[in-house]
Amino acid sequence: MNTPERPPEPPPPPPPPSPQRRAPLGGDARAILSAAGPLFFLPPVMALADRAVTVLGVPLIAVYVFAVWLAGIVLIALSAQRGQVD
């Protein structure tokens, strides 16, 4: 018996590449950090650091302001880096 030859079936399409994203920390970390960051600069919170203490000759309030500011920048940079596709 002679059966008609069928053309070969094309291979199935490859699955779409899955992005290698890391899960954000507790949702959208950048939004949380951006909203929570200014809370550390409210007068009642800053009053906790307003003491007659110096750290290496620098008043504690100045150390507090720059430490919170630097921590906010570092945390937002880390969360932005975590959101990028590897």
Side-chain angles (χ1 to χ4, degrees):
M1 269 183 154
N2 231 352
T3 59
E5 288 190 33
R6 288 191 287 175
E9 292 184 28
S18 62
Q20 298 294 322
R21 293 191 111 170
R22 297 179 188 154
L25 301 172
D28 191 4
R30 283 173 282 192
I32 293 169
L33 289 169
S34 296
L39 295 178
F40 290 102
F41 293 103
L42 289 175
V45 179
M46 288 186 66
L48 298 173
D50 193 15
R51 307 270 185 247
V53 177
T54 61
V55 178
L56 299 173
V58 179
L60 184 61
I61 189 77
V63 172
Y64 172 82
V65 167
F66 285 107
V68 170
W69 174 66
L70 180 63
I73 290 173
V74 168
L75 290 173
I76 289 176
L78 288 174
S79 70
Q81 189 176 29
R82 292 195 87 169
Q84 291 178 351
V85 175
D86 292 336

